[in-house]
Amino acid sequence: MNYELICNKVISIVRLTGNFIRKESLQFDASKIEYKGLNDMVSYVDQTAEKKLVQNLEKLIPDAGFITEEKTMTRVGKTYTWIIDPLDGTTNFIHGIPAYGISVALYEDGLPVIGVVYELNRSEMFYSYKGGEAFMNKKQIHVSNNPDLTSSLLATGFPYYQFDKQTQYLKLLEEMMQKCHGVRRIGAAAIDLVYTACGRFDAFFEYNLQQWDFAAGCFIVQQAGGQVFDFSGGDEYFTKREILATNGKLTAEMLEAIKRHFVL
């Protein structure tokens, strides 16, 4: 497979879908939201965007499987699988907060080969493919060089359901807040990850994520020279759904703090 060629086609599909979301943001009616669970909202925009993505991606690799947030298409693929979040940051979108985007990843035999994340409000397209580098709007990106927490800006996410580990999380957050320049919570993990990939954040940590939240972003971080782990320092983040993404230099310091306060 020509990964670069497929990636470029994915970018075009994502950009086209992004135009639809951007248009709907100007006339969105919050009364039309639905609830999938506690604080877990969805709208016709998420669902329609996902259908558009699936319809066009299916043409690229007809026998590929799909893992999608809104489950408009669920299919097991023998070799290839698309992992899609049509609108990461739905809560932001619903409330008119400009931090949301589209995340699309392609996995081959269980390993990522393409990742695309499109932040709609700044029109920033982050992407990478197997054998290539990581880019934003055709410009190569790389993780930061900050050597320690004291010179770093971190990103995280707050749980909006399953609050049983909230006390542990807050202890970890308290330590991080005292050791770094600050901790940001944008509300869209895919964006947190690509901001880490391009050096805006030096590290990102969050637990209880879904595969579509991070499948593309984690790959882009790695392609940009960063590292991605689960909270124990292993590589099972995909199944454990807990992410520590760093520039590499902060890994040991971050893992020590996580293990001290947050043992899963």
Side-chain angles (χ1 to χ4, degrees), residues 89-221:
T90 297
T91 302
N92 287 345
F93 175 85
I94 288 171
H95 289 275
I97 298 170
Y100 48 82
I102 299 170
S103 175
V104 175
L106 177 64
Y107 274 58
E108 179 181 23
D109 294 323
L111 296 174
V113 293
I114 290 173
V116 176
V117 174
Y118 187 29
E119 201 293 303
L120 293 168
N121 296 276
R122 299 182 65 175
S123 297
E124 292 181 334
M125 186 75 71
F126 297 84
Y127 57 95
S128 188
Y129 50 87
K130 183 179 178 180
E133 306 293 341
F135 300 91
M136 180 193 73
N137 294 348
K138 299 183 179 181
K139 181 179 179 181
Q140 187 175 344
I141 57 174
H142 199 275
V143 293
S144 75
N145 289 314
N146 285 340
D148 49 42
L149 282 173
T150 58
S151 59
S152 298
L153 181 65
L154 308 181
T156 191
F158 300 155
Y160 57 90
Y161 69 104
Q162 293 185 353
F163 299 107
D164 54 309
K165 298 181 177 65
Q166 182 171 306
T167 299
Q168 295 169 265
Y169 171 80
L170 291 175
K171 287 290 185 183
L172 172 60
L173 185 59
E174 181 180 13
E175 179 175 341
M176 293 297 98
M177 290 169 64
Q178 294 176 18
K179 287 187 173 180
C180 68
H181 283 178
V183 181
R184 299 290 180 262
R185 198 273 189 176
I186 288 179
I191 296 173
D192 289 323
L193 285 162
V194 294
Y195 281 9
T196 301
C198 71
R200 293 173 183 168
F201 294 138
D202 303 289
F204 163 72
F205 61 98
E206 188 171 355
Y207 72 100
N208 205 28
L209 291 166
Q210 300 293 341
Q211 295 172 346
W212 45 78
D213 295 320
F214 60 79
C218 283
F219 177 62
I220 295 171
V221 168

Side-chain angles (χ1 to χ4, degrees), residues 43-111:
S43 73
Y44 71 91
V45 179
D46 305 66
Q47 295 164 338
T48 304
E50 185 170 287
K51 290 176 182 178
K52 290 178 179 291
L53 290 167
V54 168
Q55 182 181 28
N56 287 296
L57 292 172
E58 198 170 22
K59 296 174 184 177
L60 298 184
I61 309 174
D63 60 348
F66 283 88
I67 298 174
T68 62
E69 179 174 13
E70 308 309 333
K71 298 178 175 55
T72 61
M73 166 67 87
T74 300
R75 184 171 69 203
V76 177
K78 184 177 181 181
T79 302
Y80 296 101
T81 302
W82 295 105
I83 304 179
I84 299 171
D85 190 337
L87 182 51
D88 187 42
T90 297
T91 302
N92 287 345
F93 175 85
I94 288 171
H95 289 275
I97 298 170
Y100 48 82
I102 299 170
S103 175
V104 175
L106 177 64
Y107 274 58
E108 179 181 23
D109 294 323
L111 296 174

Side-chain angles (χ1 to χ4, degrees), residues 211-247:
Q211 295 172 346
W212 45 78
D213 295 320
F214 60 79
C218 283
F219 177 62
I220 295 171
V221 168
Q222 292 168 326
Q223 292 288 94
Q227 297 178 334
V228 181
F229 300 94
D230 58 45
F231 280 4
S232 64
D235 60 0
E236 298 181 46
Y237 56 88
F238 198 85
T239 54
K240 289 185 176 181
R241 296 165 44 216
E242 56 194 42
I243 302 293
L244 170 63
T246 82
N247 63 3

